[in-house]
């Protein structure tokens, strides 16, 4: 009886250990995906800043030309 309970506990422990390993792998994969998203968002933010600066520069040039012509 004791041996049967011990074997059952060993099997259940093995299943739990296997499930925990699978969860750890999934968390690691999610962590990598979040890191990639962070990198993409940072790059997107930098591109937006450059575009805004270009728009401001172009608008300033247009305003400057408009006042010169008048």
């Amino acid at each position: 009886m004791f041996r049967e309970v011990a074997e059952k506990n060993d099997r259940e422990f093995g299943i739990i250990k296997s499930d925990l390993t699978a969860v750890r792998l999934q968390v690691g994969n999610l962590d990598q995906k979040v890191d990639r998203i962070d990198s993409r968002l940072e790059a997107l933010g930098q591109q937006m800043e450059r575009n805004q600066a270009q728009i401001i520069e172009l608008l300033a040039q247009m305003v400057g030309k408009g006042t010169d012509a008048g």
Side-chain angles (χ1 to χ4, degrees), residues 4-62:
E4 290 174 11
V5 171
E7 288 175 1
K8 182 180 176 187
N9 287 344
D10 286 346
R11 282 193 304 272
E12 289 176 354
F13 179 75
I15 291 169
I16 291 170
K17 188 175 177 183
S18 175
D19 289 348
L20 182 58
T21 300
V23 168
R24 285 180 178 160
L25 289 172
Q26 290 175 353
V27 168
N29 289 339
L30 289 174
D31 191 40
Q32 289 175 355
K33 289 179 181 180
V34 168
D35 286 345
R36 285 195 299 263
I37 289 171
D38 284 344
S39 296
R40 290 178 182 171
L41 287 174
E42 185 177 334
L44 179 60
Q46 291 172 355
Q47 182 63 42
M48 288 173 63
E49 289 176 9
R50 285 191 297 270
N51 289 346
Q52 288 173 347
Q54 289 175 338
I55 289 169
I56 291 169
E57 184 179 330
L58 291 171
L59 288 172
Q61 290 174 4
M62 289 175 65

